[in-house]
Amino acid sequence: MAEILRRPDDDVLDTTALGGFVRWLGTERGLEFADYDALWRWSVEDLEAFWAAVWDHFGVRGTYDTVLGSREMPGAQWFPGARLNYAEHMFGLPEDADRVAVIARSQTRGPAQLTFGELADQVARARAGLVRLGVGEGDRVVGYLPNIPEALVAFLACASLGAVWASCAPEFGARSVVDRFSQIKPTVLLAVSGYTYGAKVIDKSADLATIRAGLPSVRHVVDVPYGPDPIPDALGWADLTAEPGPLEFAALPFDHPLYVLFSSGTTGLPKAIVHGHGGILLEHYKTTACQLDLRPGDVFRWFTTTAWTMWNILVSGLLARAAIVVVDGNLQYPDVLAQFRIAAETGATLMGTSPAYLMACRKAGVDPAAELDLSALRTLGITGSPLPAEGFDWLTERFGPRLLVNSMSGGTDVCSGFVAGNPWLPVYRGELAGPCLGVDVTAYDPDGNEVVGRLGELVIRKPMPSMPVRFWNDPGDERYRSSYFDVYPGVWRHGDWVTMSERRSFVISGRSDATLNRGGVRLGTAEFYAVVEDLPQVADSLVVHLEDDQGGPGRLLLFVALRAGAELDDALRAEIAGALRRDLSPRHVPDEIAVVPAVPRTLTGKKLETPIKRILRGARPAEVISPDAVSDFAAVSAFAELA
């Protein structure tokens, strides 16, 4: 049994946002719960009552008659007939106008902040500007933007109109961006020409020109002044926001598209996941309050780019009337304490980061609690990969029991969490403390049986409001179904290996599919191969990500079969790395490249990514691959030797 490093405070139900919800359930619904487990069980056994309580407790502006019209997965119908707008809930009451809403830190320009009143004015102006450009309900607007206030303003302006938002970080190469944005045919592109990363100026003008050429549907480009040079033939941000306008909100169906997030599978283009206004609003009210314990006046700082789902969750910190801290740049510049330093400077009460960053701090021997004033810090959120037990130890040694270490796991697919800590659960060494409210999460064996204490597939047995409305351009929902429901019909399979304890704490052991997850940014292997195999020297390739049990980025291994006469020398290694850095992202440059005689495939031509990953982890080939199911079983032996 895992060691308990921190127990809930005695007054947890009197002082926390989760406690406020529990007390409301007692007063307004007559419900009492002995512990978190009882609360969670009610939340998944009576989905209608739970999500109605979330709607009513948090004061969603709108009315409803039915909570769940259909429970079928996929295709559950939430709050049919209800009309609302996510953005309408972000600005609060008149008395909130002078409260700080946004704190900005950047390595490209100086610090800034916006109050809720100033944010509302900026959103109204951007909304008016988009209307002048012809943007209306259902149109798509995209941002090639860093995590800066303008990205937030543009997104909320789109949401207020019923337009659909999507964003990519400027660290992404042109090919990655076009593969994503071209699927949804945007009419407006907001972009920067570059940014500063640490002390280095990154010019993205060439990539931006390629992106514009690859998006023929774009009628207007808006230049957000951030890079080294103005963007040619573009409307300036100042011109877009020059004229004031009313801050109005279109009343939209519950499942009206709010934004499209991109999460790569192992085949084809990145999945264009459509999230709806209502599902995100309810899920993020619950998440920010009940899992993250955000309260009015808090300062919420999570290091993320606009390409990661954590940006969307960070933005929703405004629902709690917390100030959100938007940060752009090198997370370890000028030194490894940079993230903690920003938390100290901004008075963050909740800081979010990754295991890789925390383990880098541990390795560097720094002591953030002693070197910086982090007295306001109440919760440390951790996601992107599992935090190893040694990371829990280091945080406990440095901060003591006052800090809630909240290791979390979820996905872009639901724009939320499945398993996480919260103030009413203990912190278990090396584990994620429990299931999130409203999420019927468990582990299944290959036959669809629940397993406890041994490795299984992470599954969700009942619908969540923030499950995708659909995938863009997915006739008959074929790709949606094959992504999550191909193994266990009617049950969501997420693609993570997980071990669930008897008390419903969890240990995540990495991906059970071949998706490449580096620093929280997931790319599909199909995207990877499209770049590598476009090189004339490469005949075939296979890529595997071996996750790091110690919380680091893991090892990204690329195996190439070369064309006749080609040689894997330093020049070809550099060419491969350069192409991936340019066309995909710097995070997905391989740590090692090796030559193999051939890439093993199934009889239908599919690369054996997951079996090879298991072989590289130490499994014997005969345990994971049937010779009769492989076109060339001899090709497997090279990987066994490398292992």
Side-chain angles (χ1 to χ4, degrees), residues 6 8-9 11-23 36 57-58 283-302 313 316-323 348-351 376-381 402-406 408 420-425 436-437:
R6 181 187 185 275
D9 296 331
D11 60 352
V12 62
L13 296 185
D14 298 322
T15 59
T16 64
L18 172 61
F21 180 52
V22 173
R23 296 196 308 274
Y36 180 81
H57 171 67
F58 292 104
E283 184 64 40
H284 286 188
Y285 263 131
K286 180 211 74 176
T287 297
T288 55
C290 298
Q291 309 301 152
L292 297 176
D293 190 30
L294 274 180
R295 314 169 195 172
D298 274 352
V299 177
F300 181 17
R301 175 252 175 284
W302 203 297
I313 295 173
S316 287
L318 297 172
L319 294 172
R321 303 299 169 255
T349 53
L350 167 60
M351 171 180 164
L377 190 61
R378 193 172 65 235
T379 304
L380 188 69
R402 72 170 181 83
L403 184 70
L404 173 59
V405 177
N406 190 346
M408 315 171 72
N422 66 69
W424 208 6
L425 281 176
C436 296
L437 294 180

Side-chain angles (χ1 to χ4, degrees), residues 492-575:
W492 175 292
R493 181 186 73 97
H494 191 61
D496 281 340
W497 291 123
V498 61
T499 303
M500 182 182 70
S501 73
E502 292 183 353
R503 59 179 180 276
R504 289 198 174 271
S505 60
F506 293 80
V507 174
I508 307 290
S509 302
R511 296 295 298 175
S512 61
D513 61 17
T515 304
L516 311 174
N517 183 356
R518 297 274 279 188
V521 177
R522 286 170 57 187
L523 287 181
T525 52
E527 290 185 89
F528 202 94
Y529 300 140
V531 174
V532 174
E533 293 167 22
D534 195 39
L535 298 173
Q537 305 95 319
V538 179
D540 206 353
S541 63
L542 187 142
V543 64
V544 172
H545 181 215
L546 299 182
E547 294 89 352
D548 181 7
D549 295 337
Q550 297 303 309
R555 296 167 65 204
L556 194 61
L557 309 179
L558 172 62
F559 304 93
V560 292
L562 300 178
R563 298 189 185 279
E567 179 185 354
L568 183 61
D569 54 16
D570 290 345
L572 180 55
R573 292 177 192 274
E575 188 175 355

Side-chain angles (χ1 to χ4, degrees), residues 123-205:
V123 171
R125 289 173 177 272
R127 184 185 194 276
L130 291 174
V131 170
R132 292 196 302 274
L133 297 182
V135 175
E137 188 173 312
D139 289 333
R140 277 78 67 200
V141 176
V142 295
Y144 186 54
L145 298 171
N147 187 10
I148 55 179
E150 291 91 337
L152 167 66
V153 168
F155 158 55
L156 293 178
C158 288
S160 73
L161 289 166
V164 185
W165 174 259
S167 56
C168 281
E171 70 183 59
F172 274 40
R175 184 173 188 157
S176 291
V177 177
V178 172
D179 281 350
R180 287 158 172 75
F181 288 167
S182 63
Q183 296 184 62
I184 63 174
K185 294 181 170 58
T187 60
V188 176
L189 166 67
L190 296 98
V192 297
S193 65
Y195 56 95
T196 301
Y197 188 77
K200 185 178 181 181
V201 176
I202 310 295
D203 184 357
K204 300 295 290 186
S205 55

Side-chain angles (χ1 to χ4, degrees), residues 591-615:
D591 298 298
E592 299 175 43
I593 305 175
V595 172
V596 292
V599 170
R601 295 174 181 266
T602 66
L603 298 178
T604 58
K606 184 178 179 181
K607 299 182 186 186
L608 294 172
E609 296 162 319
T610 301
I612 293 300
K613 181 176 180 177
R614 293 181 63 185
I615 289 170

Side-chain angles (χ1 to χ4, degrees), residues 21 32 87 99 119 148 285 299 366 397 401 458-459 549 597 632:
F21 180 52
E32 302 291 338
R99 175 179 287 170
L119 177 62
I148 55 179
Y285 263 131
V299 177
V366 297
E397 292 165 3
L458 187 150
V459 299
D549 295 337
D632 181 9

Side-chain angles (χ1 to χ4, degrees), residues 361-443:
C361 289
R362 175 178 178 267
K363 184 176 181 180
V366 297
D367 190 344
E371 298 177 48
L372 301 167
D373 181 6
L374 293 165
S375 56
L377 190 61
R378 193 172 65 235
T379 304
L380 188 69
I382 305 156
T383 194
S385 61
L387 179 67
E390 293 80 6
F392 281 84
D393 294 340
W394 180 76
L395 288 168
T396 301
E397 292 165 3
R398 294 297 182 265
F399 288 92
R402 72 170 181 83
L403 184 70
L404 173 59
V405 177
N406 190 346
S407 187
M408 315 171 72
S409 184
T412 300
D413 321 73
V414 294
C415 198
S416 186
F418 297 132
V419 292
N422 66 69
W424 208 6
L425 281 176
V427 174
Y428 299 104
R429 182 178 185 266
E431 298 183 359
L432 288 74
C436 296
L437 294 180
V439 184
D440 189 10
V441 56
T442 190

